[in-house]
Amino acid sequence: QKEVEQNSGPLSVPEGAIASLNCTYSDRGSQSFFWYRQYSGKSPELIMFIYSNGDKEDGRFTAQLNKASQYVSLLIRDSQPSDSATYLCAYTGANSKLTFGKGITLSVRP
Amino acid sequence: DVKVTQSSRYLVKRTGEKVFLECVQDMDHENMFWYRQDPGLGLRLIYFSYDVKMKEKGDIPEGYSVSREKKERFSLILESASTNQTSMYLCASSLAGGTGELFFGEGSRLTVL
Protein backbone atom coordinates (compact mmCIF):
# COMPACT_ATOMS: atom_id res chain seq x y z
CA GLN A 1 0.00 0.00 0.00
CA LYS A 2 1.55 3.24 -1.12
CA GLU A 3 1.25 5.79 1.67
CA VAL A 4 1.99 9.32 2.64
CA GLU A 5 2.66 10.05 6.28
CA GLN A 6 2.59 13.52 7.75
CA ASN A 7 4.00 14.44 11.14
CA SER A 8 1.33 14.47 13.78
CA GLY A 9 -0.34 17.71 14.68
CA PRO A 10 -1.80 20.06 15.30
CA LEU A 11 1.15 22.41 15.06
CA SER A 12 1.08 25.77 16.79
CA VAL A 13 3.68 28.48 16.22
CA PRO A 14 3.84 32.16 17.19
CA GLU A 15 3.48 34.83 14.57
CA GLY A 16 6.79 35.51 12.84
CA ALA A 17 8.23 32.06 13.55
CA ILE A 18 9.20 29.38 11.05
CA ALA A 19 6.68 26.57 10.67
CA SER A 20 8.10 23.23 9.55
CA LEU A 21 5.78 20.64 8.05
CA ASN A 22 7.13 17.21 7.19
CA CYS A 23 5.95 14.34 5.07
CA THR A 24 7.34 10.88 4.24
CA TYR A 25 6.21 8.62 1.44
CA SER A 26 6.61 4.95 0.70
CA ASP A 27 6.49 4.81 -3.11
CA ARG A 28 10.00 5.06 -4.54
CA GLY A 29 8.45 5.53 -7.97
CA SER A 30 6.91 8.84 -6.91
CA GLN A 31 7.69 11.58 -9.38
CA SER A 32 6.11 14.82 -8.29
CA PHE A 33 5.33 16.22 -4.88
CA PHE A 34 2.79 18.81 -3.88
CA TRP A 35 1.74 20.86 -0.91
CA TYR A 36 -1.88 21.95 -0.74
CA ARG A 37 -3.39 24.35 1.75
CA GLN A 38 -6.98 23.95 2.90
CA TYR A 39 -8.73 26.60 4.91
CA SER A 40 -11.57 25.47 7.12
CA GLY A 41 -14.69 24.92 5.03
CA LYS A 42 -12.85 25.42 1.77
CA SER A 43 -11.32 23.20 -0.90
CA PRO A 44 -7.60 22.46 -1.14
CA GLU A 45 -5.48 24.80 -3.21
CA LEU A 46 -1.98 24.20 -4.49
CA ILE A 47 0.78 26.27 -2.93
CA MET A 48 3.97 24.46 -3.98
CA PHE A 49 5.13 21.60 -6.15
CA ILE A 50 8.61 20.12 -6.45
CA TYR A 51 10.09 17.50 -8.74
CA SER A 52 13.82 17.54 -8.09
CA ASN A 53 15.93 16.94 -5.03
CA GLY A 54 16.80 20.07 -3.12
CA ASP A 55 14.97 23.25 -2.21
CA LYS A 56 12.42 25.31 -4.07
CA GLU A 57 11.52 28.72 -2.76
CA ASP A 58 8.45 30.82 -3.45
CA GLY A 59 8.11 33.89 -1.29
CA ARG A 60 7.83 32.81 2.33
CA PHE A 61 7.44 29.16 1.37
CA THR A 62 10.24 26.66 0.77
CA ALA A 63 9.66 23.08 -0.29
CA GLN A 64 12.44 20.58 0.31
CA LEU A 65 12.67 17.18 -1.35
CA ASN A 66 14.99 14.30 -0.51
CA LYS A 67 14.18 11.29 -2.68
CA ALA A 68 16.85 9.08 -1.12
CA SER A 69 15.29 9.52 2.31
CA GLN A 70 11.77 9.70 0.88
CA TYR A 71 10.70 12.86 2.57
CA VAL A 72 9.37 16.21 1.52
CA SER A 73 8.93 19.21 3.77
CA LEU A 74 7.42 22.65 3.69
CA LEU A 75 8.90 25.59 5.57
CA ILE A 76 6.86 28.72 6.13
CA ARG A 77 8.98 31.69 7.16
CA ASP A 78 7.58 34.68 9.05
CA SER A 79 4.38 32.78 9.77
CA GLN A 80 1.20 34.85 9.72
CA PRO A 81 -2.21 34.18 11.28
CA SER A 82 -3.51 33.90 7.70
CA ASP A 83 -1.30 30.82 7.28
CA SER A 84 -3.50 28.98 9.79
CA ALA A 85 -4.93 26.09 7.80
CA THR A 86 -4.56 22.39 7.13
CA TYR A 87 -1.61 21.49 4.90
CA LEU A 88 -1.82 18.40 2.74
CA CYS A 89 1.20 16.65 1.30
CA ALA A 90 0.64 14.68 -1.92
CA TYR A 91 2.54 12.87 -4.61
CA THR A 92 1.92 11.45 -8.06
CA GLY A 93 3.22 8.24 -9.49
CA ALA A 94 3.51 7.26 -13.12
CA ASN A 95 -0.28 7.31 -13.70
CA SER A 96 -0.84 10.92 -12.60
CA LYS A 97 -2.95 9.74 -9.69
CA LEU A 98 -2.47 12.00 -6.71
CA THR A 99 -2.17 10.36 -3.29
CA PHE A 100 -2.69 12.60 -0.27
CA GLY A 101 -1.52 12.48 3.30
CA LYS A 102 -4.04 13.05 6.06
CA GLY A 103 -2.92 16.62 6.55
CA ILE A 104 -1.59 18.62 9.44
CA THR A 105 -3.35 21.59 10.97
CA LEU A 106 -1.21 24.67 11.53
CA SER A 107 -2.24 27.40 13.93
CA VAL A 108 -0.29 30.67 13.98
CA ARG A 109 -0.77 32.56 17.25
CA PRO A 110 -0.85 36.38 16.98
CA ASP B 1 -10.23 31.88 -14.36
CA VAL B 2 -10.30 28.12 -13.95
CA LYS B 3 -13.45 26.67 -12.55
CA VAL B 4 -14.70 23.33 -11.30
CA THR B 5 -18.38 23.43 -10.41
CA GLN B 6 -20.16 20.88 -8.30
CA SER B 7 -23.91 20.89 -8.68
CA SER B 8 -24.92 20.70 -5.03
CA ARG B 9 -23.16 22.10 -1.97
CA TYR B 10 -25.38 20.31 0.54
CA LEU B 11 -27.54 17.22 0.14
CA VAL B 12 -29.57 15.19 2.58
CA LYS B 13 -30.68 11.75 1.41
CA ARG B 14 -32.21 8.68 2.94
CA THR B 15 -30.65 5.23 3.15
CA GLY B 16 -31.23 3.31 -0.05
CA GLU B 17 -31.76 6.33 -2.27
CA LYS B 18 -29.83 6.74 -5.51
CA VAL B 19 -27.64 9.83 -5.40
CA PHE B 20 -26.03 11.73 -8.27
CA LEU B 21 -23.21 14.19 -7.70
CA GLU B 22 -22.37 16.24 -10.76
CA CYS B 23 -19.13 17.99 -11.59
CA VAL B 24 -18.35 20.25 -14.53
CA GLN B 25 -15.03 21.88 -15.42
CA ASP B 26 -14.46 24.62 -17.96
CA MET B 27 -10.71 24.21 -18.43
CA ASP B 28 -10.73 21.50 -21.13
CA HIS B 29 -8.87 19.19 -18.73
CA GLU B 30 -8.50 15.55 -19.66
CA ASN B 31 -8.26 14.20 -16.11
CA MET B 32 -11.08 14.28 -13.59
CA PHE B 33 -11.24 12.84 -10.09
CA TRP B 34 -13.68 12.20 -7.26
CA TYR B 35 -12.41 12.24 -3.67
CA ARG B 36 -14.13 12.00 -0.33
CA GLN B 37 -12.80 13.75 2.71
CA ASP B 38 -13.45 12.61 6.26
CA PRO B 39 -11.98 13.87 9.54
CA GLY B 40 -8.88 11.91 10.48
CA LEU B 41 -8.83 10.06 7.15
CA GLY B 42 -7.84 12.82 4.78
CA LEU B 43 -8.63 12.82 1.08
CA ARG B 44 -9.31 9.41 -0.43
CA LEU B 45 -9.66 8.76 -4.14
CA ILE B 46 -12.89 7.08 -5.23
CA TYR B 47 -12.67 7.09 -9.04
CA PHE B 48 -10.83 8.95 -11.73
CA SER B 49 -11.00 9.35 -15.47
CA TYR B 50 -8.38 10.23 -18.06
CA ASP B 51 -10.72 10.57 -21.00
CA VAL B 52 -14.33 10.49 -22.09
CA LYS B 53 -16.06 7.18 -21.36
CA MET B 54 -12.99 6.01 -19.49
CA LYS B 55 -12.85 5.34 -15.74
CA GLU B 56 -10.44 3.85 -13.25
CA LYS B 57 -11.04 2.73 -9.70
CA GLY B 58 -9.33 4.64 -6.98
CA ASP B 59 -8.62 3.48 -3.46
CA ILE B 60 -12.20 3.22 -2.20
CA PRO B 61 -14.56 2.52 -5.14
CA GLU B 62 -16.96 0.19 -3.32
CA GLY B 63 -20.51 1.48 -3.30
CA TYR B 64 -19.83 4.07 -6.01
CA SER B 65 -19.89 4.30 -9.78
CA VAL B 66 -19.05 7.09 -12.19
CA SER B 67 -19.99 8.33 -15.62
CA ARG B 68 -18.09 10.49 -18.06
CA GLU B 69 -20.06 10.99 -21.26
CA LYS B 70 -18.55 14.38 -22.05
CA LYS B 71 -15.07 15.71 -21.45
CA GLU B 72 -16.20 18.48 -19.15
CA ARG B 73 -18.56 16.45 -16.97
CA PHE B 74 -17.82 13.70 -14.43
CA SER B 75 -20.63 12.28 -12.34
CA LEU B 76 -20.42 10.25 -9.15
CA ILE B 77 -23.29 7.86 -8.47
CA LEU B 78 -24.24 6.21 -5.22
CA GLU B 79 -26.56 3.41 -6.32
CA SER B 80 -27.98 2.82 -2.85
CA ALA B 81 -26.81 5.38 -0.32
CA SER B 82 -25.75 4.20 3.10
CA THR B 83 -25.02 6.12 6.29
CA ASN B 84 -21.29 5.41 6.02
CA GLN B 85 -21.27 7.42 2.79
CA THR B 86 -22.02 10.58 4.72
CA SER B 87 -19.03 12.71 3.81
CA MET B 88 -17.64 15.70 1.94
CA TYR B 89 -17.18 14.85 -1.73
CA LEU B 90 -14.65 16.79 -3.77
CA CYS B 91 -14.33 16.79 -7.53
CA ALA B 92 -11.07 17.83 -9.17
CA SER B 93 -9.56 18.11 -12.61
CA SER B 94 -6.07 18.35 -14.05
CA LEU B 95 -4.38 18.78 -17.39
CA ALA B 96 -2.85 15.69 -18.96
CA GLY B 97 0.90 16.14 -19.19
CA GLY B 98 0.76 19.20 -16.99
CA THR B 99 2.32 19.83 -13.61
CA GLY B 100 -0.12 17.47 -11.92
CA GLU B 101 -1.89 20.32 -10.17
CA LEU B 102 -5.45 19.49 -9.24
CA PHE B 103 -8.15 22.12 -9.37
CA PHE B 104 -10.89 21.39 -6.90
CA GLY B 105 -14.55 22.21 -6.81
CA GLU B 106 -16.14 23.66 -3.68
CA GLY B 107 -17.29 20.27 -2.48
CA SER B 108 -20.63 18.58 -1.87
CA ARG B 109 -21.51 17.70 1.68
CA LEU B 110 -23.73 14.64 1.67
CA THR B 111 -25.65 13.46 4.69
CA VAL B 112 -27.35 10.07 4.51
CA LEU B 113 -29.99 9.49 7.16
Side-chain angles (χ1 to χ4, degrees):
Chain A
Q1 179 80 14
K2 300 180 175 72
E3 291 184 346
V4 181
E5 296 289 336
Q6 296 191 236
N7 53 324
S8 59
L11 178 65
S12 180
V13 300
E15 185 173 354
I18 296 175
S20 177
L21 310 174
N22 300 315
C23 175
T24 59
Y25 59 94
S26 60
D27 183 4
R28 287 196 171 273
S30 304
Q31 298 182 342
S32 308
F33 302 85
F34 303 83
W35 282 99
Y36 282 78
R37 177 177 61 200
Q38 186 174 24
Y39 290 116
S40 180
K42 300 293 187 182
S43 296
E45 57 179 345
L46 182 71
I47 52 172
M48 292 283 288
F49 65 88
I50 186 167
Y51 302 145
S52 304
N53 278 327
D55 295 358
K56 179 180 179 182
E57 188 174 315
D58 183 1
R60 295 186 295 110
F61 297 94
T62 299
Q64 300 173 318
L65 175 60
N66 184 322
K67 289 190 176 182
S69 300
Q70 295 179 255
Y71 83 78
V72 58
S73 62
L74 180 70
L75 299 178
I76 306 175
R77 290 182 301 281
D78 188 24
S79 296
Q80 302 296 309
S82 59
D83 295 325
S84 298
T86 297
Y87 290 81
L88 303 166
C89 170
Y91 73 87
T92 57
N95 62 1
S96 298
K97 189 179 79 170
L98 206 60
T99 298
F100 285 88
K102 293 179 181 179
I104 181 168
T105 298
L106 172 66
S107 175
V108 180
R109 309 186 299 271
Chain B
D1 202 13
V2 297
K3 195 144 179 83
V4 179
T5 303
Q6 295 184 228
S7 55
S8 303
R9 292 295 307 277
Y10 301 94
L11 304 94
V12 179
K13 299 291 182 181
R14 297 208 174 270
T15 301
E17 281 193 75
K18 191 169 185 176
V19 181
F20 292 88
L21 300 179
E22 306 284 344
C23 175
V24 177
Q25 50 95 4
D26 65 358
M27 298 164 283
D28 202 33
H29 284 171
E30 292 81 8
N31 306 329
M32 297 190 74
F33 305 82
W34 275 106
Y35 288 87
R36 64 177 283 178
Q37 187 171 32
D38 302 287
L41 297 177
L43 278 162
R44 293 181 291 166
L45 182 63
I46 304 171
Y47 268 97
F48 59 104
S49 170
Y50 292 139
D51 202 352
V52 176
K53 296 191 185 296
M54 175 273 175
K55 59 186 178 184
E56 292 279 348
K57 292 180 180 179
D59 299 318
I60 52 163
E62 296 78 18
Y64 303 94
S65 62
V66 291
S67 172
R68 193 167 182 200
E69 296 296 320
K70 294 184 177 182
K71 187 176 184 179
E72 67 270 20
R73 187 179 298 269
F74 192 37
S75 302
L76 180 69
I77 303 155
L78 289 66
E79 293 288 343
S80 178
S82 63
T83 55
N84 63 11
Q85 292 178 310
T86 292
S87 186
M88 171 66 82
Y89 290 88
L90 289 163
C91 176
S93 71
S94 70
L95 188 65
T99 63
E101 178 181 3
L102 291 184
F103 294 88
F104 284 89
E106 291 188 321
S108 298
R109 181 163 294 282
L110 172 67
T111 300
V112 182
L113 302 176

